[in-house]
Amino acid sequence: MAKVILDAGHGGQEPGATYEGRQEKDDTLRLALAVGEILERNGVDVAFTRTEDVYDTPFEKAQIANREGGDFFISFHRNSSPSANQYSGVETLVFDRTGKKVELAENINRELADVGFRDLGIKERPGLVVLRRTRMPAVLVEAGFLNTEADNELFDAQFDRIAQAVANGVLQTLGHETESQMPPEMPPTVPTPSEPSQERLYRVQTGAFRRREYAEDMLYQLLGQNFPAYILFEDNYYKVQVGAFRQLDNAVRMEDALRRQGYSTFITT
């Protein structure tokens, strides 16, 4: 029996991209669970890196996948852009353009384009930990832009079809027959953002960039040093931050550790 590892990006104190109260970590978990259910119905053995709102570093997620020993690893994310409604579409990231992972990425993109997303193609991202450290063909699916209203409306209105599309891409790669009937299209609905948390959390910021790739370079460096880093898009900047602490003293200790590694930091909430 084939086995697929599904990773819901971000989680816990690390929300991922945010937009008007909407958090990437919630959308990725919902999608990963839905895809997993469809795959299991089709006889695929499925394991998850998380099934609830918890945070593991990318290294820990790769370790979970390697322990499970799957045939494929799929990480779910939602994209973000410097300005709201600037870009639209789906893209799938791979370590390089070799092997079975490219076929998987092509199948997933094609199926998601059939649902209504613009296909932005496949991109190589060898610096991503979950693509570099997993011992199986791995892809990272960016399921639309979180700060683009049209993508959010499509994500919500056609959610069942999106989950089915991803599952179909996986099943095609595994050589399974895909389900012939997609769930019927539903009229678009406007999403209702969840209320943002009122809890004060202290974060240590190490950089803020207009260009996402610069933020990602710093993110990979921090993750490589085992710091719990993430990118938060806010005020038209990609902000690289570390941790989310309820106690200021813990944030101060993290800031000290980062400064010892040469980072220029400040504490924010």
Side-chain angles (χ1 to χ4, degrees), residues 135-175:
R135 301 194 195 108
M136 66 220 48
V139 301
L140 187 152
V141 179
E142 296 275 15
F145 283 76
L146 190 82
N147 64 339
T148 294
E149 293 175 7
D151 280 5
N152 285 340
E153 290 175 5
L154 182 60
F155 187 92
D156 292 331
Q158 305 295 343
F159 179 80
D160 290 341
R161 298 185 72 233
I162 290 167
Q164 183 68 62
V166 176
N168 281 352
V170 176
L171 294 171
Q172 290 163 11
T173 310
L174 292 172

Side-chain angles (χ1 to χ4, degrees), residues 113-145:
D114 287 345
V115 177
F117 282 112
R118 180 185 177 193
D119 184 357
L120 299 178
I122 301 169
K123 297 180 181 178
E124 295 182 25
R125 289 292 176 82
L128 288 177
V129 173
V130 293
L131 301 180
R132 188 175 75 244
R133 294 301 182 96
T134 44
R135 301 194 195 108
M136 66 220 48
V139 301
L140 187 152
V141 179
E142 296 275 15
F145 283 76

